[in-house]
Amino acid sequence: MKISRIQLFPIATPRETGIANQHVIVRLEAGDSHVGWGEMSDLSHVPMYQFDIPELERMLNELLRGRDARNIAQIEDDLIRFFPDEGHMYSRSGLVRQGIDLALHDLNARALGVPVYQLLGGKLRDRMRVCYPIFRMRSVEEVEPNLQRVEEKLTQGFDLIRVYVGANLEADELFLKKFTERFHGRVEIKSLDFSNLLDWRRVAMALERFDDLCDYMLVESGAPRNDIEGLAQLRRRSRRPLSEHVLHIHHGWQLLSAGAVDILNVSPYLLGGLRASLRLIALAEAARASVLIGTTQELSLGTAAVAHLAAAARVLDYPGDNTGPQLYTADVVKAPVQYVNSHLLVPEGPGLGVEVDEDRLQAMTAGAQWTFGTDLAGVLDRTPKERPSARRGDSLQG
């Protein structure tokens, strides 16, 4: 089953919070009539450079056309050589590998008439608990709208949230205090996510204040990126387990061997797809560490892939973050992935289990554009430019 063509479709999808994010949808053709779909998820991050889509498409066709689509291992090996790990949070190389990896798994599973999780070894679970994100607040005026959002999502069945903190501790404290008063016993907090904004000492001091205000499962990204010693210092002092995003397999080994984390945050968009993610999960199992599946907030294609990864993962101790299809107001599939009571259901159809609407895809590609401008706080916080703190002139220092 030889690969005959790869097409890339850049799109922009609005969020219910008022911003739009860019993605690249991958269409891979092989054999007589086989098609697989993948996704390079959420490119709207710092660093603010974008793909040269025609050139990337030309390069991928030159590299992969004529190759056996069933030999995913060989293709992955070559992609790692041409698109190596970049060692930072929003690696464009990882996204390229993710897009091809998902398309190959979708194509091969569809050719066999089975769900992708069968290619990963089978299914251990049919759903994964997930949380809804409450984005970072830079002013106290943003507290009440976020509490209202929690109430809205609870009526839709989401009783688990993740709270981004660290930019404005006064706003964080007010939100957590009012959250406990309003939602205690009805909604849980999966994590307080510092997003590598603060050094470990400031995180430790903040947690002392937060611990009196609310209950939560874990702490995420509690030191600047690549400060493994800082994470280890925080872990020795924290009353809750620590999680960090894994950038590549050696980074995972560094985090574990340094005693810096309890939980590996494993994300296909960072690592380059499903096969790479399974290797990190095996690493965690060998170290008797825990695993959660992270996100950059994928569309339904990428989220379906995460669901299949969760189905096959031997270690999956904590809820995931994969609620992108609940955030976006438009998608490229005919029917999105399904959520029930804060759980992402594993699709049971062939391939990834979601069907791309090609007419909608073409229309979204024609209308794709960048929406963040040069508002750095908006890019970092995933919030729109009309937020209250932006009207006052916000600071990146918190």
Side-chain angles (χ1 to χ4, degrees):
M1 189 162 57
K2 303 296 184 181
I3 295 174
S4 57
R5 184 168 66 157
I6 296 165
Q7 292 178 281
L8 303 181
F9 300 88
I11 64 169
T13 51
R15 290 188 179 191
E16 58 184 15
T17 52
I19 61 175
N21 294 76
Q22 292 186 318
H23 315 260
V24 176
I25 304 302
V26 179
R27 187 180 194 271
L28 191 152
E29 300 174 12
D32 295 330
S33 59
H34 297 295
V35 174
W37 294 93
E39 175 183 310
M40 302 177 193
S41 308
D42 192 2
L43 282 80
S44 304
H45 286 283
V46 172
M48 290 176 65
Y49 64 83
Q50 299 299 310
F51 291 130
D52 180 336
I53 297 295
E55 177 61 21
L56 179 60
E57 184 178 273
R58 184 194 67 78
M59 174 60 194
L60 289 171
N61 275 282
E62 185 175 313
L63 178 63
L64 300 179
R65 189 184 290 120
R67 305 286 293 277
D68 186 351
R70 295 166 296 188
N71 195 343
I72 299 177
Q74 183 63 63
I75 292 173
E76 181 195 33
D77 189 61
D78 285 342
L79 286 172
I80 289 172
R81 297 173 192 275
F82 282 92
F83 299 93
D85 293 318
E86 295 174 297
H88 62 79
M89 184 69 170
Y90 300 110
S91 163
R92 294 329 196 227
S93 288
L95 286 173
V96 172
R97 300 199 310 270
Q98 177 203 30
I100 299 299
D101 174 273
L102 300 193
L104 287 170
H105 279 89
D106 187 47
L107 182 144
N108 279 283
R110 287 179 183 277
L112 295 171
V114 301
V116 160
Y117 64 72
Q118 295 288 10
L119 300 186
L120 305 180
K123 181 174 67 172
L124 293 173
R125 55 188 68 81
D126 63 6
R127 64 193 62 202
M128 173 181 68
R129 195 176 186 203
V130 292
C131 61
Y132 186 87
I134 300 300
F135 293 105
R136 193 171 296 109
M137 292 162 278
R138 294 186 180 271
S139 72
V140 295
E141 289 89 349
E142 293 163 12
V143 169
E144 186 57 36
N146 275 327
L147 291 168
Q148 293 174 8
R149 187 169 300 279
V150 175
E151 189 73 58
E152 292 168 6
K153 301 315 291 187
L154 179 59
T155 63
Q156 298 171 22
F158 286 89
D159 61 1
L160 184 68
I161 64 170
R162 169 173 53 132
V163 185
Y164 286 88
V165 296
N168 184 316
L169 294 182
E170 179 186 5
D172 295 337
E173 289 189 53
L174 182 61
F175 175 87
L176 295 174
K177 179 178 182 294
K178 289 192 171 186
F179 170 86
T180 299
E181 293 171 352
R182 191 177 303 186
F183 297 105
H184 178 69
R186 297 196 296 151
V187 182
E188 292 182 273
I189 297 176
K190 187 214 89 175
S191 60
L192 301 181
D193 190 341
F194 287 87
S195 302
N196 310 109
L197 290 181
L198 306 179
D199 66 76
W200 72 266
R201 294 175 183 84
R202 294 169 68 193
V203 170
M205 289 188 289
L207 291 175
E208 288 183 6
R209 297 158 67 176
F210 296 161
D211 283 348
D212 294 331
L213 299 175
C214 67
D215 192 20
Y216 55 95
M217 296 180 188
L218 59 105
V219 178
E220 295 204 60
S221 302
R225 290 191 184 118
N226 300 315
D227 184 7
I228 293 177
E229 174 57 28
L231 281 176
Q233 292 280 6
L234 180 63
R235 183 178 180 235
R236 286 192 281 270
R237 292 162 174 79
S238 176
R239 295 162 52 187
R240 311 296 172 103
L242 264 62
S243 167
E244 184 56 279
H245 297 271
V246 184
L247 306 179
H248 46 75
I249 193 163
H250 182 64
H251 183 230
W253 178 86
Q254 289 176 306
L255 290 168
L256 293 171
S257 62
V261 297
D262 305 280
I263 307 160
L264 293 185
N265 185 318
V266 174
S267 300
Y269 82 95
L270 269 173
L271 300 169
L274 299 176
R275 288 172 52 82
S277 298
L278 286 175
R279 290 195 290 274
L280 261 298
I281 292 171
L283 178 66
E285 181 180 8
R288 295 183 177 171
S290 296
V291 169
L292 67 84
I293 300 179
T295 189
T296 183
Q297 300 306 350
E298 299 83 2
L299 294 168
S300 279
L301 279 167
T303 305
V306 163
H308 289 280
L309 176 64
R314 278 182 49 81
V315 180
L316 192 61
D317 310 282
Y318 286 90
D321 302 323
N322 316 92
T323 51
Q326 291 291 312
L327 286 170
Y328 295 114
T329 61
D331 209 326
V332 298
V333 296
K334 296 177 180 178
V337 292
Q338 297 298 303
Y339 295 87
V340 174
N341 298 328
S342 281
H343 286 78
L344 169 63
L345 304 187
V346 179
E348 288 295 338
L352 291 172
V354 290
E355 300 296 329
V356 171
D357 185 328
E358 297 197 48
D359 290 337
R360 185 183 303 168
L361 175 61
Q362 292 287 350
M364 293 175 71
T365 297
Q369 60 181 331
W370 178 264
T371 62
F372 281 99
T374 56
D375 175 14
L376 182 55
V379 175
L380 292 176
D381 299 342
R382 327 307 289 156
T383 51
K385 62 183 179 181
E386 63 268 21
R387 63 190 181 280
S389 58
R391 292 196 294 269
R392 295 179 1 184
D394 55 17
S395 166
L396 290 177
Q397 301 304 314

